[in-house]
Amino acid sequence: MSEDGTTIGDLQPEAGSGGGLWRLPVLALGGALLVGGAVNAFVNRPAPDHRPALREAAQQLSREDFRGAISTLNKRVFPYLAEDQLSTELAAEYHLLLGRALVGGQGELDVRVSENDQNVVAQYLQAERLGVVLDTADQARLADAYIALGRFDDAERRVDLLPETDQPTRERLIRNLVEARLDIGQPRRIEALEFLSGALTDPKMSEEHRLWSLARQAEVRLALGFPDETVNQLLRELPLLQQSDPEALAELYLWLGRAYFELDALREADRHLARADSEGALAPSDPRRAMARLYLARSAARQATDQLELEAARDRFAALVDTAGGTPAYLHALLGLGDMEAALGEGRAAIEAYGALVEEVELRKRAFEELPIDSEGIAQSLVARYQESAGVGDSSTALEYASLAGDLFTLDEMPPTVIEALGGAHEARAEALLGDRDQGLRLRDLNDIDPGRLQQIKRHLIQAAGFFRTHADRYILDEYDVYADSLWRAAGLYDRAGDTRATVTTLTEFTEAIRDDARRAEGRFILAQAQQSLGQYGVAAELYRGLIADRASNARDGVGVWADRSHVPLAQSLLLDGDSANDTEAEDMLLAALDGRRGGPDRAEYRDALFELGRVFDRSGRHDLAIERLTELLERAPEDPRALAVKYRLADNYRRLADQIEERLPETMRQSQVRALKVDRVAYLNRAIEMFEDVRDGLGAKQAALRTALEDVQLRNAYFYLGDCAFDLGEHERAIAFYSASRNRYPRDPAVLVALIQIVNAYVAMGDLRSARTANVRARDFYASLPDDVWDDPNLPMGRREWERWLDSSAKLYEGLASAG
């Protein structure tokens, strides 16, 4: 605020018809936006003499009262300038003074605002248009404003106007120009190089500035990939500079050594880098000395041919990590240390070095600091380490390297090579956790893995799938084959992990987008399976039908095997779709799968058809046919993963077939037939007991966490059905033993009521009414303890028959007790 209360920044000058005049009001930007021109109420009256105001502003500038000068010019001169009441001479002086005041005010604030620099340029140019010849200081101020605005060509023209007698100012501006161009990066390096080359031809250049210019020229040439030119230039210049400042010479040796390093002339590189690192040249804390030591370490690493030389290079990097903190060499030293530890086989030490590097990069990114190292370069090294570890089967270390590479980026920024490495690393880790098992199996097919490990495997598979899905997206427009391969890989991983919805989404994209890929038929088949598992039986059936139709019309290559494999799951879908009208078609399709036209009985499809036919005949009450098909399956494939499920179904069908015989016995038939049926019934019940025992023992030996819900039901029912079969054989003591075992195994399960009731029935049948009464009280108490809704479970082994038996036994029991007095 000026002495009279006016805030600097009240008004923003605007170029108008008067030529560079500034009229529009604006807001101050944090107090950093200076103003050239303010509009006050102006009353028509004779114009006063403005020279005193201009002299006062000049005096304020000499005292470095820049805000006061701006206020004086705004309030006491600008209103008349706006009304064209100033002479050309005075207007020119006004613009010149205002330009100087704006430069000084901005310098005083120590904040660079482009609007201020634009205003400085406008004021100086207007002063020139009105006849002012800018002196050296004003030309320099104008050049500085141009540099700040990125108008480098205009700045160069102003530098050229400076008199040769003011070499320090010229050299200062040249430095500012070069550094500003280099700050922008690659697009301006060529310009900076050309400008430096021209500036170096100045015979009056000071030695200090020449040394600086040569260093910058070497820096730019190396950044542009011209090490040969760098070496040639420095070799020509250095012999003439040996009496120069040791510090500046050390920097030139640094650049010369780096150039030789880029040319792989390592002996020469070491010699010149050692000169840069020599005592007395650069201070121990000088970042340039740290950089010289970094390249000496890199050269040692590149030349290492044995363990000792690798260790020596590693030690150089380690020493640099300890001493170079806060310099640009520090992050590079950590990278070199990680590389060396990995080369020495010190995986854990390498991970620690890389981890420290990635952590430091993340910290600096969060602080919006400029990084002296390229994240892509770090990632490239980490991906190489990942590949090395993966190549020797070390999936855990490989995953650590890939994860560190991923930590350097957001997912949107991540290079495709890192995404692919992460996908491969998670997939390899899942395979390692699977151990010696078939690597292609879906997780739902694995029954012998600890649940905690199974969850780890699933997590890795899903993460791998997600990365390959992202990898596919990166190539969707540019590389069709890479897109197809990664999309296919993602779909397979989702399928193995059991993420069915993701499998459907990914395979739908694959089968719709990839039309000429040999894997498309397989993709359609897996997609149909996924839809079937989601209960989308109609959608699945259409996919299976499409494969079968393509096979029939020879429409697509490679569809044959998948069409053959579609018959059984198509039948399954038709049986499960709730439409009984197509069940006969499903049965015919299963029978056709066994007719030999699609191959022999060793096919997996043949075994699947046997299994499904057993289920079809079971559900339709054709237990003899179910037994025939399931027995064939068990004989052909005793090691089939479904063997216990097949035995359960066989046992249950034998049990039900025995029940059917019992229901038929009262019918009129010859005694020989009755005897034969009774023999069959006993045989069936004994066979059922044998198989239920196999199921009980086999499923009971599995860890509870590894059993499926269906297996839990089958195990429970096997316990109870063993008692039923023994009871139906009239072996009541054996039945009581079986029922007691089931009660002990499932003490609070509602199905225990079946066991308790049957124990009552067995004692009644044996005539042991006292034991029957005790058992009956126990059954009634247990029944009373259960809520009514438990009987809604369709999987309970208790139906109308069991309730009838309890009713009959209860009646017999109390009749017997009553007659006994």
Side-chain angles (χ1 to χ4, degrees), residues 407-428:
D407 289 342
L408 291 165
F409 311 94
T410 65
L411 189 59
D412 290 339
E413 299 169 338
M414 200 175 291
T417 53
V418 176
I419 298 172
E420 186 176 21
L422 280 163
H426 280 288
E427 182 179 14

mmCIF file of all heavy atoms in Angstrom, residues 407-428:
data_model
loop_
_atom_site.group_PDB
_atom_site.id
_atom_site.type_symbol
_atom_site.label_atom_id
_atom_site.label_comp_id
_atom_site.label_asym_id
_atom_site.label_seq_id
_atom_site.Cartn_x
_atom_site.Cartn_y
_atom_site.Cartn_z
ATOM 1 N N ASP A 407 5.100 -49.198 -8.336
ATOM 2 C CA ASP A 407 4.938 -48.120 -7.357
ATOM 3 C C ASP A 407 5.393 -46.770 -7.896
ATOM 4 O O ASP A 407 5.064 -45.729 -7.321
ATOM 5 C CB ASP A 407 5.717 -48.444 -6.081
ATOM 6 C CG ASP A 407 5.089 -49.574 -5.282
ATOM 7 O OD1 ASP A 407 3.901 -49.870 -5.509
ATOM 8 O OD2 ASP A 407 5.793 -50.168 -4.440
ATOM 9 N N LEU A 408 6.156 -46.767 -8.970
ATOM 10 C CA LEU A 408 6.671 -45.511 -9.525
ATOM 11 C C LEU A 408 5.615 -44.728 -10.289
ATOM 12 O O LEU A 408 5.828 -43.555 -10.614
ATOM 13 C CB LEU A 408 7.846 -45.806 -10.470
ATOM 14 C CG LEU A 408 9.134 -46.311 -9.810
ATOM 15 C CD1 LEU A 408 10.062 -46.903 -10.859
ATOM 16 C CD2 LEU A 408 9.820 -45.175 -9.065
ATOM 17 N N PHE A 409 4.477 -45.360 -10.600
ATOM 18 C CA PHE A 409 3.504 -44.740 -11.488
ATOM 19 C C PHE A 409 2.078 -44.937 -10.962
ATOM 20 O O PHE A 409 1.811 -45.855 -10.193
ATOM 21 C CB PHE A 409 3.568 -45.376 -12.893
ATOM 22 C CG PHE A 409 4.941 -45.482 -13.466
ATOM 23 C CD1 PHE A 409 5.699 -46.645 -13.321
ATOM 24 C CD2 PHE A 409 5.504 -44.420 -14.161
ATOM 25 C CE1 PHE A 409 6.976 -46.755 -13.857
ATOM 26 C CE2 PHE A 409 6.780 -44.511 -14.708
ATOM 27 C CZ PHE A 409 7.512 -45.683 -14.546
ATOM 28 N N THR A 410 1.196 -44.061 -11.409
ATOM 29 C CA THR A 410 -0.225 -44.378 -11.315
ATOM 30 C C THR A 410 -0.534 -45.378 -12.423
ATOM 31 O O THR A 410 0.267 -45.540 -13.360
ATOM 32 C CB THR A 410 -1.088 -43.122 -11.495
ATOM 33 O OG1 THR A 410 -0.901 -42.629 -12.841
ATOM 34 C CG2 THR A 410 -0.695 -42.038 -10.503
ATOM 35 N N LEU A 411 -1.672 -46.029 -12.341
ATOM 36 C CA LEU A 411 -2.006 -47.031 -13.358
ATOM 37 C C LEU A 411 -2.104 -46.399 -14.736
ATOM 38 O O LEU A 411 -1.702 -46.993 -15.747
ATOM 39 C CB LEU A 411 -3.317 -47.734 -12.998
ATOM 40 C CG LEU A 411 -3.675 -48.948 -13.870
ATOM 41 C CD1 LEU A 411 -2.578 -50.005 -13.801
ATOM 42 C CD2 LEU A 411 -5.006 -49.540 -13.426
ATOM 43 N N ASP A 412 -2.617 -45.170 -14.817
ATOM 44 C CA ASP A 412 -2.744 -44.504 -16.107
ATOM 45 C C ASP A 412 -1.383 -44.170 -16.709
ATOM 46 O O ASP A 412 -1.231 -44.151 -17.935
ATOM 47 C CB ASP A 412 -3.569 -43.216 -15.960
ATOM 48 C CG ASP A 412 -5.037 -43.501 -15.673
ATOM 49 O OD1 ASP A 412 -5.478 -44.622 -15.984
ATOM 50 O OD2 ASP A 412 -5.721 -42.612 -15.134
ATOM 51 N N GLU A 413 -0.393 -43.891 -15.869
ATOM 52 C CA GLU A 413 0.939 -43.514 -16.350
ATOM 53 C C GLU A 413 1.816 -44.726 -16.627
ATOM 54 O O GLU A 413 2.821 -44.624 -17.319
ATOM 55 C CB GLU A 413 1.657 -42.658 -15.303
ATOM 56 C CG GLU A 413 0.984 -41.353 -14.948
ATOM 57 C CD GLU A 413 1.623 -40.710 -13.721
ATOM 58 O OE1 GLU A 413 2.262 -41.429 -12.916
ATOM 59 O OE2 GLU A 413 1.483 -39.487 -13.592
ATOM 60 N N MET A 414 1.467 -45.874 -16.090
ATOM 61 C CA MET A 414 2.354 -47.021 -16.077
ATOM 62 C C MET A 414 2.718 -47.501 -17.476
ATOM 63 O O MET A 414 1.832 -47.723 -18.311
ATOM 64 C CB MET A 414 1.680 -48.156 -15.297
ATOM 65 C CG MET A 414 2.618 -49.228 -14.795
ATOM 66 S SD MET A 414 1.720 -50.422 -13.763
ATOM 67 C CE MET A 414 1.353 -49.422 -12.321
ATOM 68 N N PRO A 415 4.009 -47.671 -17.768
ATOM 69 C CA PRO A 415 4.406 -48.189 -19.081
ATOM 70 C C PRO A 415 3.909 -49.615 -19.286
ATOM 71 O O PRO A 415 3.809 -50.388 -18.321
ATOM 72 C CB PRO A 415 5.941 -48.155 -19.018
ATOM 73 C CG PRO A 415 6.277 -47.191 -17.922
ATOM 74 C CD PRO A 415 5.162 -47.315 -16.924
ATOM 75 N N PRO A 416 3.596 -49.994 -20.516
ATOM 76 C CA PRO A 416 3.098 -51.351 -20.778
ATOM 77 C C PRO A 416 4.051 -52.447 -20.294
ATOM 78 O O PRO A 416 3.606 -53.501 -19.859
ATOM 79 C CB PRO A 416 2.943 -51.382 -22.300
ATOM 80 C CG PRO A 416 2.732 -49.956 -22.684
ATOM 81 C CD PRO A 416 3.559 -49.152 -21.724
ATOM 82 N N THR A 417 5.372 -52.191 -20.375
ATOM 83 C CA THR A 417 6.306 -53.226 -19.921
ATOM 84 C C THR A 417 6.152 -53.506 -18.431
ATOM 85 O O THR A 417 6.296 -54.648 -17.985
ATOM 86 C CB THR A 417 7.755 -52.786 -20.197
ATOM 87 O OG1 THR A 417 7.973 -51.483 -19.629
ATOM 88 C CG2 THR A 417 8.034 -52.736 -21.685
ATOM 89 N N VAL A 418 5.854 -52.471 -17.657
ATOM 90 C CA VAL A 418 5.653 -52.661 -16.213
ATOM 91 C C VAL A 418 4.340 -53.383 -15.950
ATOM 92 O O VAL A 418 4.260 -54.271 -15.097
ATOM 93 C CB VAL A 418 5.695 -51.303 -15.485
ATOM 94 C CG1 VAL A 418 5.389 -51.478 -14.001
ATOM 95 C CG2 VAL A 418 7.057 -50.649 -15.664
ATOM 96 N N ILE A 419 3.299 -53.009 -16.684
ATOM 97 C CA ILE A 419 1.998 -53.676 -16.524
ATOM 98 C C ILE A 419 2.136 -55.165 -16.830
ATOM 99 O O ILE A 419 1.646 -56.025 -16.084
ATOM 100 C CB ILE A 419 0.947 -53.034 -17.444
ATOM 101 C CG1 ILE A 419 0.745 -51.566 -17.074
ATOM 102 C CG2 ILE A 419 -0.372 -53.787 -17.369
ATOM 103 C CD1 ILE A 419 -0.130 -50.817 -18.064
ATOM 104 N N GLU A 420 2.838 -55.468 -17.915
ATOM 105 C CA GLU A 420 3.025 -56.871 -18.297
ATOM 106 C C GLU A 420 3.850 -57.610 -17.249
ATOM 107 O O GLU A 420 3.553 -58.762 -16.911
ATOM 108 C CB GLU A 420 3.715 -56.946 -19.657
ATOM 109 C CG GLU A 420 3.828 -58.353 -20.208
ATOM 110 C CD GLU A 420 4.426 -58.386 -21.594
ATOM 111 O OE1 GLU A 420 5.114 -57.417 -21.979
ATOM 112 O OE2 GLU A 420 4.222 -59.393 -22.310
ATOM 113 N N ALA A 421 4.871 -56.946 -16.713
ATOM 114 C CA ALA A 421 5.691 -57.577 -15.675
ATOM 115 C C ALA A 421 4.861 -57.871 -14.432
ATOM 116 O O ALA A 421 4.988 -58.941 -13.822
ATOM 117 C CB ALA A 421 6.874 -56.669 -15.323
ATOM 118 N N LEU A 422 4.011 -56.934 -14.039
ATOM 119 C CA LEU A 422 3.164 -57.158 -12.865
ATOM 120 C C LEU A 422 2.201 -58.316 -13.097
ATOM 121 O O LEU A 422 1.980 -59.153 -12.213
ATOM 122 C CB LEU A 422 2.399 -55.881 -12.532
ATOM 123 C CG LEU A 422 3.214 -54.825 -11.771
ATOM 124 C CD1 LEU A 422 2.529 -53.466 -11.849
ATOM 125 C CD2 LEU A 422 3.395 -55.238 -10.325
ATOM 126 N N GLY A 423 1.626 -58.377 -14.288
ATOM 127 C CA GLY A 423 0.739 -59.496 -14.591
ATOM 128 C C GLY A 423 1.468 -60.824 -14.531
ATOM 129 O O GLY A 423 1.005 -61.783 -13.902
ATOM 130 N N GLY A 424 2.644 -60.877 -15.170
ATOM 131 C CA GLY A 424 3.419 -62.110 -15.161
ATOM 132 C C GLY A 424 3.897 -62.487 -13.773
ATOM 133 O O GLY A 424 3.931 -63.676 -13.415
ATOM 134 N N ALA A 425 4.257 -61.481 -12.970
ATOM 135 C CA ALA A 425 4.760 -61.763 -11.619
ATOM 136 C C ALA A 425 3.671 -62.341 -10.731
ATOM 137 O O ALA A 425 3.913 -63.302 -9.975
ATOM 138 C CB ALA A 425 5.329 -60.482 -11.005
ATOM 139 N N HIS A 426 2.483 -61.766 -10.781
ATOM 140 C CA HIS A 426 1.389 -62.298 -9.958
ATOM 141 C C HIS A 426 0.971 -63.692 -10.443
ATOM 142 O O HIS A 426 0.664 -64.572 -9.618
ATOM 143 C CB HIS A 426 0.195 -61.345 -9.993
ATOM 144 C CG HIS A 426 0.346 -60.170 -9.080
ATOM 145 N ND1 HIS A 426 0.263 -60.277 -7.709
ATOM 146 C CD2 HIS A 426 0.586 -58.864 -9.334
ATOM 147 C CE1 HIS A 426 0.440 -59.100 -7.155
ATOM 148 N NE2 HIS A 426 0.648 -58.215 -8.112
ATOM 149 N N GLU A 427 0.983 -63.899 -11.741
ATOM 150 C CA GLU A 427 0.648 -65.223 -12.250
ATOM 151 C C GLU A 427 1.683 -66.254 -11.794
ATOM 152 O O GLU A 427 1.326 -67.353 -11.336
ATOM 153 C CB GLU A 427 0.576 -65.196 -13.775
ATOM 154 C CG GLU A 427 0.179 -66.534 -14.377
ATOM 155 C CD GLU A 427 0.093 -66.502 -15.888
ATOM 156 O OE1 GLU A 427 0.591 -65.528 -16.498
ATOM 157 O OE2 GLU A 427 -0.477 -67.444 -16.477
ATOM 158 N N ALA A 428 2.970 -65.902 -11.901
ATOM 159 C CA ALA A 428 4.026 -66.833 -11.486
ATOM 160 C C ALA A 428 3.951 -67.122 -9.989
ATOM 161 O O ALA A 428 4.213 -68.245 -9.547
ATOM 162 C CB ALA A 428 5.388 -66.253 -11.845
#
